[in-house]
Short mmCIF file of all heavy atoms in Angstrom, two decimals:
data_model
loop_
_atom_site.label_atom_id
_atom_site.label_comp_id
_atom_site.label_asym_id
_atom_site.label_seq_id
_atom_site.Cartn_x
_atom_site.Cartn_y
_atom_site.Cartn_z
N MET A 17 -23.53 29.85 -16.06
CA MET A 17 -23.54 29.41 -14.71
C MET A 17 -22.92 28.02 -14.56
O MET A 17 -23.26 27.11 -15.33
CB MET A 17 -25.03 29.41 -14.26
CG MET A 17 -25.19 29.19 -12.74
SD MET A 17 -26.94 29.03 -12.29
CE MET A 17 -27.27 27.36 -12.92
N GLU A 53 9.85 9.70 -3.23
CA GLU A 53 8.46 10.04 -2.76
C GLU A 53 7.45 8.96 -3.11
O GLU A 53 6.58 8.68 -2.30
CB GLU A 53 8.03 11.39 -3.45
CG GLU A 53 7.44 11.37 -4.88
CD GLU A 53 8.52 11.18 -5.95
OE1 GLU A 53 9.53 10.55 -5.65
OE2 GLU A 53 8.24 11.51 -7.07
N LEU A 73 -0.50 -10.42 -26.91
CA LEU A 73 -0.79 -9.35 -27.88
C LEU A 73 -0.87 -9.87 -29.28
O LEU A 73 -1.68 -9.50 -30.10
CB LEU A 73 0.36 -8.27 -27.84
CG LEU A 73 0.15 -7.20 -26.80
CD1 LEU A 73 1.44 -6.33 -26.77
CD2 LEU A 73 -1.05 -6.29 -27.07
N GLY A 79 -10.32 -9.46 -25.33
CA GLY A 79 -11.65 -9.04 -24.97
C GLY A 79 -11.86 -8.99 -23.49
O GLY A 79 -10.90 -9.13 -22.72
N LEU A 87 -9.79 -17.81 -14.82
CA LEU A 87 -9.69 -18.88 -13.92
C LEU A 87 -8.25 -19.32 -13.65
O LEU A 87 -7.85 -19.55 -12.50
CB LEU A 87 -10.53 -20.06 -14.47
CG LEU A 87 -10.60 -21.22 -13.46
CD1 LEU A 87 -11.25 -20.84 -12.16
CD2 LEU A 87 -11.47 -22.39 -14.10
N ILE A 110 -11.38 -16.23 -4.71
CA ILE A 110 -10.41 -15.20 -5.14
C ILE A 110 -10.96 -14.34 -6.27
O ILE A 110 -11.57 -14.87 -7.23
CB ILE A 110 -9.11 -15.93 -5.59
CG1 ILE A 110 -8.50 -16.67 -4.40
CG2 ILE A 110 -8.09 -14.93 -6.19
CD1 ILE A 110 -7.36 -17.56 -4.68
N GLY A 135 -13.00 2.05 11.03
CA GLY A 135 -11.74 2.49 11.66
C GLY A 135 -10.59 2.35 10.71
O GLY A 135 -10.42 1.33 10.03
N TYR A 144 -7.58 4.88 1.91
CA TYR A 144 -8.66 4.20 2.66
C TYR A 144 -9.68 5.23 3.06
O TYR A 144 -10.87 5.02 2.74
CB TYR A 144 -8.14 3.54 3.97
CG TYR A 144 -6.99 2.57 3.88
CD1 TYR A 144 -6.05 2.50 4.91
CD2 TYR A 144 -6.86 1.67 2.84
CE1 TYR A 144 -4.97 1.64 4.86
CE2 TYR A 144 -5.81 0.76 2.82
CZ TYR A 144 -4.90 0.76 3.86
OH TYR A 144 -3.86 -0.13 3.83
N GLU A 154 -18.54 6.70 7.23
CA GLU A 154 -17.91 7.57 8.25
C GLU A 154 -16.57 7.00 8.63
O GLU A 154 -16.51 5.78 9.08
CB GLU A 154 -18.81 7.71 9.48
CG GLU A 154 -18.26 8.76 10.41
CD GLU A 154 -19.18 8.96 11.65
OE1 GLU A 154 -20.35 8.62 11.62
OE2 GLU A 154 -18.64 9.41 12.64
N LEU A 173 -7.92 -0.46 20.42
CA LEU A 173 -9.29 -0.66 19.89
C LEU A 173 -10.32 -0.58 20.96
O LEU A 173 -11.42 -0.02 20.78
CB LEU A 173 -9.35 -2.00 19.14
CG LEU A 173 -8.62 -2.10 17.83
CD1 LEU A 173 -8.53 -3.54 17.31
CD2 LEU A 173 -9.28 -1.18 16.78
N SER A 179 -18.93 2.50 18.23
CA SER A 179 -18.94 1.10 17.93
C SER A 179 -18.74 1.00 16.37
O SER A 179 -19.45 1.58 15.57
CB SER A 179 -20.30 0.52 18.37
OG SER A 179 -20.88 -0.23 17.40
N ILE A 184 -9.84 -1.39 9.04
CA ILE A 184 -8.83 -1.70 8.06
C ILE A 184 -7.47 -1.75 8.68
O ILE A 184 -7.10 -0.83 9.39
CB ILE A 184 -8.82 -0.62 6.88
CG1 ILE A 184 -10.28 -0.54 6.33
CG2 ILE A 184 -7.84 -0.96 5.86
CD1 ILE A 184 -10.41 0.54 5.32
N TYR A 221 1.95 -5.44 1.06
CA TYR A 221 3.41 -5.47 1.23
C TYR A 221 3.92 -6.85 1.72
O TYR A 221 5.12 -6.95 2.08
CB TYR A 221 3.86 -4.34 2.19
CG TYR A 221 3.71 -2.99 1.55
CD1 TYR A 221 2.65 -2.14 1.87
CD2 TYR A 221 4.48 -2.62 0.42
CE1 TYR A 221 2.46 -0.94 1.24
CE2 TYR A 221 4.27 -1.42 -0.25
CZ TYR A 221 3.23 -0.56 0.16
OH TYR A 221 3.04 0.60 -0.51
N GLN A 227 12.61 -9.09 8.65
CA GLN A 227 12.98 -9.90 9.83
C GLN A 227 12.18 -11.26 9.75
O GLN A 227 12.79 -12.32 10.07
CB GLN A 227 12.64 -9.23 11.17
CG GLN A 227 12.72 -7.74 11.18
CD GLN A 227 14.15 -7.22 11.19
OE1 GLN A 227 15.05 -8.05 11.29
NE2 GLN A 227 14.31 -5.96 10.96
N ARG A 256 -1.81 -2.51 -13.29
CA ARG A 256 -3.05 -2.32 -12.51
C ARG A 256 -3.79 -3.62 -12.33
O ARG A 256 -4.95 -3.80 -12.78
CB ARG A 256 -3.96 -1.31 -13.28
CG ARG A 256 -3.33 0.06 -13.64
CD ARG A 256 -2.61 0.67 -12.44
NE ARG A 256 -3.48 0.94 -11.33
CZ ARG A 256 -3.15 0.60 -10.06
NH1 ARG A 256 -2.03 -0.06 -9.80
NH2 ARG A 256 -3.98 0.83 -9.15
N MET A 260 -8.59 -9.85 -4.35
CA MET A 260 -9.18 -9.98 -3.00
C MET A 260 -9.37 -11.47 -2.71
O MET A 260 -9.63 -12.25 -3.62
CB MET A 260 -10.63 -9.34 -2.99
CG MET A 260 -10.70 -7.96 -3.45
SD MET A 260 -12.44 -7.59 -3.93
CE MET A 260 -13.26 -7.54 -2.36
N VAL A 270 -19.83 -9.48 -4.69
CA VAL A 270 -18.63 -8.71 -5.26
C VAL A 270 -18.68 -8.84 -6.80
O VAL A 270 -18.42 -7.91 -7.46
CB VAL A 270 -17.34 -9.26 -4.72
CG1 VAL A 270 -16.11 -8.77 -5.46
CG2 VAL A 270 -17.18 -8.81 -3.17
N ARG A 272 -21.29 -9.15 -8.70
CA ARG A 272 -22.32 -8.24 -9.27
C ARG A 272 -21.79 -6.82 -9.35
O ARG A 272 -21.95 -6.13 -10.34
CB ARG A 272 -23.62 -8.28 -8.42
CG ARG A 272 -24.39 -9.52 -8.56
CD ARG A 272 -25.79 -9.34 -7.95
NE ARG A 272 -25.75 -9.07 -6.54
CZ ARG A 272 -25.92 -10.02 -5.52
NH1 ARG A 272 -26.19 -11.26 -5.90
NH2 ARG A 272 -25.90 -9.64 -4.28
N SER A 291 2.30 -15.80 -15.39
CA SER A 291 3.74 -16.18 -15.36
C SER A 291 4.53 -15.69 -14.16
O SER A 291 5.65 -16.11 -13.97
CB SER A 291 4.49 -15.68 -16.63
OG SER A 291 3.77 -16.15 -17.75
N ASP A 304 16.06 -8.10 -1.71
CA ASP A 304 17.43 -7.93 -1.23
C ASP A 304 17.89 -6.50 -1.45
O ASP A 304 18.57 -5.94 -0.63
CB ASP A 304 18.38 -8.88 -1.97
CG ASP A 304 18.11 -10.33 -1.61
OD1 ASP A 304 17.46 -10.57 -0.59
OD2 ASP A 304 18.54 -11.26 -2.32
N ARG A 308 19.07 -3.58 1.22
CA ARG A 308 20.30 -2.79 1.17
C ARG A 308 20.00 -1.33 1.28
O ARG A 308 20.63 -0.57 1.98
CB ARG A 308 21.04 -3.04 -0.13
CG ARG A 308 21.97 -4.30 -0.12
CD ARG A 308 23.01 -4.23 -1.23
NE ARG A 308 22.45 -4.10 -2.59
CZ ARG A 308 21.87 -5.11 -3.24
NH1 ARG A 308 21.82 -6.36 -2.71
NH2 ARG A 308 21.43 -4.87 -4.46
N LEU A 313 19.88 3.98 4.21
CA LEU A 313 19.12 5.10 4.69
C LEU A 313 19.17 5.13 6.24
O LEU A 313 19.34 6.21 6.86
CB LEU A 313 17.71 5.08 4.24
CG LEU A 313 17.47 5.51 2.79
CD1 LEU A 313 15.97 5.50 2.47
CD2 LEU A 313 18.04 6.87 2.44
N ALA A 331 7.81 -3.47 3.77
CA ALA A 331 7.45 -2.50 2.75
C ALA A 331 8.75 -1.81 2.28
O ALA A 331 9.85 -2.39 2.51
CB ALA A 331 6.44 -1.53 3.19
N SER A 340 12.01 18.36 14.87
CA SER A 340 13.19 19.25 15.22
C SER A 340 13.70 20.02 14.04
O SER A 340 14.53 20.90 14.22
CB SER A 340 14.31 18.33 15.81
OG SER A 340 14.73 17.48 14.79
N SER A 345 5.81 20.04 7.25
CA SER A 345 6.55 19.04 6.40
C SER A 345 6.31 19.30 4.92
O SER A 345 7.14 18.91 4.10
CB SER A 345 6.12 17.61 6.78
OG SER A 345 4.74 17.42 6.67
N MET A 360 10.52 13.66 -1.54
CA MET A 360 10.02 12.83 -0.46
C MET A 360 8.62 13.29 -0.14
O MET A 360 8.23 14.39 -0.56
CB MET A 360 10.90 12.84 0.75
CG MET A 360 11.26 14.19 1.23
SD MET A 360 12.71 14.17 2.22
CE MET A 360 12.57 15.76 3.06
#
Side-chain angles (χ1 to χ4, degrees):
M17 191 187 71
E53 83 286 25
L73 274 174
L87 186 57
I110 297 173
Y144 306 144
E154 188 179 339
L173 288 169
S179 137
I184 303 176
Y221 291 107
Q227 329 286 352
R256 308 308 303 129
M260 305 159 71
V270 167
R272 286 193 299 262
S291 302
D304 292 342
R308 273 199 306 281
L313 284 183
S340 63
S345 58
M360 53 201 196

